[in-house]
Amino acid sequence: MADKATTASGGETHQRADDGGAVLTTNHGVPISDNQNSLKSGARGPTLLEDFVLREKIFHFDHERIPERIVHARGSGAHGVFEATDDISDLSRAAVFAKGEKTEVFVRFSTVAGGAGSVDTPRDVRGFAVKFYTKEGNWDLVGNNIPVFFIQDAIKFPDLVHAVKMEADRGYPQAGSAHDTFWDWASLMPETTHMLMWAMSDRTLPRSFRMMEGFGVHTFKLVNDAGKVSFVKFHWKPRLGLQSTIWDEALKLQAADNDYQRRDLFEAIDSGDFPQWDLGIQVFDEDFANAQPYDVLDATKLIPEEDVPVRLIGTLTLNRNVDNFFAETEQVAFLPTNIVPGIDFSNDPLLQGRLFSYLDTQKSRLGTTNFHQIPINTPRCPFGNFQRDGMMQTMVPKGRANYEPNSLSAHGEEGGPRESVDRGFATVNAATGPDETGDKLRVRADTFADHYSQARLFYRSQDAHEQAHIASSFVFELSKVGLLEQVPPRMVANLRNVDEDLAQRVADGLGIALPDKAKAAKEPVDMAPSDALSIHKNMKATLEGRAVGILIADGTDAGELDAVIDAVTKAKGKAVIVAPKVGGAKLSDGSVRKADGQLAGSPSQIFDAVAIILSDAGCKTLLTEGAAVEFAMNAFAHLKAIGASDAAKPLLDKAGVEADEGVTKLDASFVKAASRRFYDREPKVRTLA
Ligand code: HDD
């Protein structure tokens, strides 16, 4: 039965329905007597056209799918609340930023290139789209987990997407950039270089949606009550710190669990472990903008946090899973044009093009101009205008007022809503400054010409391990360029403008000669390295939000097992018992302990750290179990902590686990080690570029 959902802010949203034990009916309300058999002419005869129950059911089923998003097709959504925690009324009049204000939100995270049924852990940018149902209308901040973008002008977006998606003739690869057409295009587009550095870093391998940053990417404007304009970049900072996987781990995660990140988000919220991010702003004025060696309207550039610190102004908490994936996550429509009084667009030419694209795409995806009436998209504040009719109209406006101006109220009739100069959204007049307007020209501003300085800034802000990952990703991706031999050298020629050492490492990794440096449209300059750009410098040593896989077998010491579970739980981690049989293992005290996962289906890549608690006999059995050896081997290779009982030593030896500070006894040192990764171990387990 339908009920009213209560929102985070206490208001009512859309109707949520459950079965309530009601009678099964057709879509037109006619009770159904038999949902098992179609109507036939004789028990073994043909089915009759008259069977409206069958026809309606099959007709509806045949049309259940809608076109998937052209990009960001695979995603996961959740409801939550945004609470403004700082007074920024001097900067913005937006109601959503009033200190203490709580606003209902819906967030959708996504991968970009793959289809709706693709995997969760490819090397890919992640979408981070937030819909704020504010008192003054919906504000959508449709961002990514990377603060810059591949291109400077929206006119190149279809080329980018065509190049990265599966190749037009062969229909593969799915959800991956490691192929000819992407690198052909990217190597011919030097403006992609900065974003490529991010894409080849571990930023595109987030451990969890809950452990990644989000960015509004573009420069936007904040407008206060007096009409004063400031420029702003939006940031989301995860409370759990940053954490990424490594490439080999991400590959193995695809095999272990296609839904790794979707499951992670759902289960965290389901268990009351609500993910949180702080909203940060970098605010600057025209003088600052004009003084920078880059253009703040260029979406391939960021503003280093060391130059303009991020000020935290609110907290986002995701506290409710969707009731229905299709109705909510699939039908949610994000629109960068959804903006509210107190915030405004800049002239960033990428943003300007987006302002058309999203509205347009919803019509083809959701089939009607009335997509705003789908509950997930409907504003939570009153809304009304004189737009009428259209396909799937669900509103029933009363009276004759479908035009304006009208004088119907003088006759005692309902005259409809009216514009409000005081409350209404007023576009900022921007004739000057970094946002200037002028002659009508199909050009790229000269200030957008430097494609390498910030790519260099990014690379040089990484620690040695992160740099090795970037170099190795370039090698891997370019090694997958099969037919187009001109492409890898052309890419390396571009990289020489970023960093000579990086270019040499990639050339060596590919086994090709170092090509001549590509001619830069503008010579790059050195910028001071920024710690904020490194994942490793922004990780949190914690077990909170992380999972520890505990491998047991018959004979495992019950006391040791309980002590580890207790220590992990106390450290706010999740203890997951893994055993050869999910029915459980018979412990040392004779009791049977049920497992949370069977060994064959719970490999160590799905955990952040592992404990291996075995008896001599248990270890002996597991030595002949490939999955057990791989459990230890991959945990070691993925730079995770391994806590092991003494009796498990033969298994560790067989798995090639060598002693280091991440390989511990099952005492307090294990929980400490489990809260981090051991990047220093990496040269022992793989060769990086
Ligand atoms: Fe986009 C979806 C983020 C540039 C056109 N985009 C989409 C989504 C995210 C982004 C997170 C998924 C929203 C959801 O969960 O439903 N897009 C970005 C960012 C960009 C960007 C951060 C650059 C800063 N996008 C961009 C350009 C264009 C588009 C330049 C076109 C000119 N994007 C689309 C789209 C999508 C979309 C085709 C597909 C589905 C949708 O809009 O609703 O219109």
Side-chain angles (χ1 to χ4, degrees), residues 69-70 72 108 143-144 149 157 218 334 354 357-358 362:
R69 290 166 175 83
I70 167 77
H72 296 267
R108 184 173 179 272
N144 281 339
F149 202 63
F157 191 69
H218 311 283
F334 289 95
R354 293 180 74 194
S357 184
Y358 291 68
Q362 308 311 344

Side-chain angles (χ1 to χ4, degrees), residues 103-168:
T103 302
E104 195 191 340
V105 298
F106 187 78
V107 176
R108 184 173 179 272
F109 302 107
S110 47
T111 54
V112 180
S118 59
V119 295
D120 265 4
T121 53
R123 174 179 293 287
D124 200 357
V125 179
R126 297 301 190 279
F128 193 131
V130 184
K131 186 181 285 292
F132 299 78
Y133 302 93
T134 90
K135 277 182 182 156
E136 296 179 330
N138 290 352
W139 173 40
D140 293 357
L141 186 57
V142 194
N144 281 339
N145 73 332
I146 290 180
V148 291
F149 202 63
F150 289 106
I151 49 172
Q152 297 174 319
D153 191 313
I155 200 166
K156 296 308 297 170
F157 191 69
D159 298 291
L160 160 66
V161 176
H162 287 173
V164 74
K165 281 236 171 197
M166 54 195 188
E167 297 189 2

